[in-house]
Amino acid sequence: MALQCGIVGLPNAGKSTIFNALTALEVPAESFPFCTIDPNTGVVAVPDERLPKLAHIYKPGMVTPAVVEFVDIAGLVRGASKGEGLGNQFLAHIRQVDALVHVIRCFVDPDISHVEGTVDPVRDAELIETELLLKDLETVEKRLPVLEKKAHSGDKEAGTELASLQVLHNGLSDGKMIRNLTLTEPDKAVAQMLNLLTVKSILYVANVDEREIQSEIRAPQIQALVDFAAAEGNLCIRLCGKIEQEIALLDQSEQAEFIAEYNLKEIGLTKLIHAAYDLLGYQTFFTGSRKEVRAWMAPKGATAYHAAGIIHTDFQRGFIKAEVFHYDELIRLGSEKAVKETGLVGLEGRNYIVRDGDLIFFKFNV
């Protein structure tokens, strides 16, 4: 199970530069619109300092991190919902991802044009949000007459779906994103079935210059973007794409020196993934043996039964019990044997709620 994040934004916002930094892939990053047409994809390991410590204890043949898949989607422009700038093609790519990483240009560079003429982070964020909303409204309005006809002929299922669709239509018509509406489960099911764009959470990445990234106090324009994101129930972080791309091309020892030189707490990859985890409510659990230590990604609130399915459908189908103990206890006691001897291994059923840092061993029979 890989979390898939689509990197979106206006042309020349720095999307491909940040994608390069995250994936260490050399894709084009030219200063003209629509340099990226087909989406580039990179699979990135989730940084987790617990994995090496687990590897030290288990001494496995393989260590496998959780991964995030980043998709660099071409720049959207005003009118994308109506097909401007190949908008329909780009919006179709957005439908396939779990969440959006919206790169907002927050730097001034006379050598790189801005499609809107000036740097205005909140305006640019609202522009893309509006295009996503308009596309959703178009999708809903295309579906309405079809359902109305079926409902009027006595189709009860169509009538139920129509009621939910009208809720979605009313919200979108009022300028509200689907994710911010109070919806019933049937309403949510219809929104998911239509694969609506404004259901997706957004992590805003303020692509700033070198001075801003080193400042503890955000500039007024950046703070305004942070406030805008918070009002929408989203998150905003600052990255300097130019610096991050330079860091990505260095080896680990040089990276540490570079990060210290710019007074950064961590590389952008770590910062971005942690923010994405927080925004989407994800956590990590582990499996460990002499064969492999592996990190797995699961939503907060996931049950042991759900976690079993993340590993393999057979684990879920034949689920019996799960042996569970926590990473902290393993590190404190130094071995799995010591954890068991101390009585800290729980034998849990399918409704056990998985915690971040759990080590789980599934008992199943198929």
Side-chain angles (χ1 to χ4, degrees), residues 3 19-20 34 46 70 79 110 122 125 129 134 138 159 211 227 235 279 305 339 356:
L3 174 64
F19 176 83
N20 288 346
F34 313 124
V46 175
F70 289 101
V122 171
E129 289 260 9
L134 289 174
E138 177 187 295
R211 173 184 286 185
D227 294 341
L235 293 178
L279 179 64
Y305 182 73
V339 174
D356 182 70

Side-chain angles (χ1 to χ4, degrees), residues 50-60 286 293 327 330 359:
R50 295 171 293 186
L51 273 176
K53 296 177 182 178
L54 289 173
H56 178 73
I57 291 173
Y58 283 100
K59 297 178 172 52
F286 303 97
V293 165
Y327 166 86
L330 179 64
L359 280 104

